[in-house]
Amino acid sequence: MRYIQIIFSISLLFAACSSPEPQKEFVGDRQFRTTDPSRLYFNNIRSTHYYRSKYKPANADLYRNRKLSFDNKRPIIHPVIVNNWMSDEAYIFIEKNEYTGGWSDTLTIRWSVEDSIGGEYLLPIPSRPEMYELSGKLYAAMKEGQKLEVKDAKGEFVPVLENQQDRSAFQTTMRDYYRLTELY
């Protein structure tokens, strides 16, 4: 009986002294990478500001800001944080509401400063890098106070994100995404 206790103690000592597995190396795009501390902060502190839903095919969580307006009488675009925690990645997707005026095939957003047209942002084929780039440009444009308009189904430009609540929700979501991916 004594020998069994000694052998058990020695095997327990060897198991405790063995080195842990090396941490896996991230191989994806840097702008999408998340870490355990950033996910922990987001899940414990910031996620209460969002509606969470599951996207089962990718085993990911979708986060939509609770302050977003769901009015369909005016065009509204808003970012959605997609937390793909199985791959240690998070993405930012752009969603459009069910605007009664209809949307053009290609999401076209025109920005202007003090009644002079500055340029256009286009999203012809929605992909992760394209949506990341577009949402970053929109975030910067809102921070600079630029006026934004979106092309509707008739080909006319209609103001978008002009409501302070919608702008604030968009900017908050982008800041949270940048913190989640440690780019902020």
Side-chain angles (χ1 to χ4, degrees):
M1 181 73 167
R2 179 100 173 127
Y3 291 113
I4 294 174
Q5 288 176 339
I6 293 172
I7 292 172
F8 179 72
S9 299
I10 291 173
S11 63
L12 188 61
L13 181 66
F14 280 121
C17 293
S18 66
S19 62
E21 287 185 29
Q23 199 171 25
K24 65 180 179 180
E25 188 173 328
F26 182 75
V27 293
D29 290 337
R30 171 65 187 106
Q31 73 256 25
F32 303 129
R33 188 184 120 218
T34 61
T35 61
D36 290 339
S38 68
R39 276 192 312 277
L40 188 64
Y41 174 79
F42 181 78
N43 288 332
N44 289 340
I45 307 295
R46 297 303 303 162
S47 66
T48 59
H49 300 274
Y50 295 88
Y51 294 115
R52 180 179 152 214
S53 60
K54 291 273 191 191
Y55 182 63
K56 292 190 185 210
N59 203 12
D61 297 326
L62 305 176
Y63 293 92
R64 290 175 180 86
N65 197 308
R66 290 181 186 265
K67 292 183 180 179
L68 288 172
S69 173
F70 292 99
D71 180 17
N72 63 356
K73 294 184 175 99
R74 58 189 171 93
I76 301 173
I77 56 174
H78 52 88
V80 176
I81 296 175
V82 180
N83 185 6
N84 189 355
W85 51 272
M86 293 289 286
S87 300
D88 293 332
E89 291 185 333
Y91 317 111
I92 195 80
F93 285 176
I94 300 290
E95 270 190 348
K96 303 179 277 189
N97 69 341
E98 297 294 325
Y99 174 51
T100 55
W103 295 89
S104 66
D105 293 338
T106 299
L107 180 60
T108 306
I109 301 168
R110 182 169 64 185
W111 59 273
S112 59
V113 180
E114 298 179 16
D115 298 331
S116 64
I117 296 173
E120 289 183 351
Y121 303 128
L122 301 172
L123 185 65
I125 301 171
S127 67
R128 289 184 302 206
E130 295 288 330
M131 285 192 265
Y132 169 79
E133 187 176 330
L134 175 64
S135 58
K137 288 178 181 177
L138 293 176
Y139 176 64
M142 282 186 270
K143 281 176 55 176
E144 294 172 4
Q146 297 174 355
K147 181 181 173 188
L148 300 171
E149 298 175 315
V150 67
K151 188 184 277 187
D152 65 6
K154 298 174 189 172
E156 300 172 358
F157 282 94
V158 182
V160 68
L161 296 169
E162 63 183 348
N163 181 331
Q164 183 57 34
Q165 180 181 348
D166 292 338
R167 279 185 175 244
S168 175
F170 193 102
Q171 291 173 330
T172 300
T173 303
M174 289 305 298
R175 277 193 305 272
D176 287 340
Y177 174 75
Y178 288 143
R179 282 187 196 124
L180 180 60
T181 55
E182 297 181 342
L183 297 172
Y184 195 67

